[in-house]
Amino acid sequence: MGSESDDGDFEEFVAARGPRLLRMAWLLTGDAHLAEDLLQTVLAKVWPRWHRIAADHPEAYIRKALVHTHASWWRRRWRGEVPHGVVPDTAAQWDAYAGVDLEQSLAAAVRLLPVRQRAVVVLRYFEDLSVEETAATLGCAPGTVKSQSAKALRTLRALLPAAVVEGGDRRARP
């Protein structure tokens, strides 16, 4: 495995970047517990290889691993699902009296996106990666990132109230 200095470097990295990586995992999964599981799974896979990964861009490597692991979880989960009973409404809940917190309404809308579009939105707009960096992370062409971004933004505009999209008053829909 790695040396004690590698272990210390890994611990420092996780302490420094862990909260941001956890936020990314939460944005991908939409669930705090699944996000913790996702990040822990990825970090457990990365730790034995840390001495090789740390020399290059470890955060980019871990972001890519988060996206790929989440996608594999998502595919595996849906293959085995057997629907039963009434499916609950998964659309964002709008409270006409309380107002909508922008962060929560945006996160709910992002969770409704298909996995690939969600990954593009998280990497491009929450992690602030360029088109090229996002394409490299996802292993696709920059044009794919652009088209997936356009589709995702179109969907988000349709899901979010006009006031949120335009950056104006954040009142809930009637």
Side-chain angles (χ1 to χ4, degrees), residues 32-131:
H33 299 293
L34 281 176
E36 290 172 354
D37 290 347
L38 176 61
L39 182 58
Q40 184 175 11
T41 299
V42 168
L43 291 175
K45 289 179 184 178
V46 166
W47 179 73
R49 300 179 193 93
W50 183 250
H51 62 281
R52 289 184 307 215
I53 296 166
D56 287 328
H57 302 285
E59 189 169 354
Y61 184 93
I62 292 173
R63 278 196 302 259
K64 186 173 186 173
L66 283 168
V67 169
H68 287 277
T69 303
H70 173 258
S72 73
W73 283 8
W74 188 84
R75 282 189 303 267
R76 195 173 305 136
R77 179 183 62 186
W78 284 101
R79 281 191 187 143
E81 183 174 328
V82 178
H84 62 281
V86 178
V87 178
D89 186 10
T90 58
Q93 300 296 316
W94 301 99
D95 184 351
Y97 301 104
V100 179
D101 178 36
L102 177 59
E103 185 176 322
Q104 289 180 353
S105 63
L106 181 57
V110 168
R111 283 192 299 273
L112 294 175
L113 294 173
V115 173
R116 187 73 164 193
Q117 290 178 17
R118 185 185 318 171
V120 168
V121 166
V122 169
L123 292 171
R124 285 281 292 130
Y125 303 105
F126 290 96
E127 290 297 313
D128 202 26
L129 297 183
S130 69
V131 170

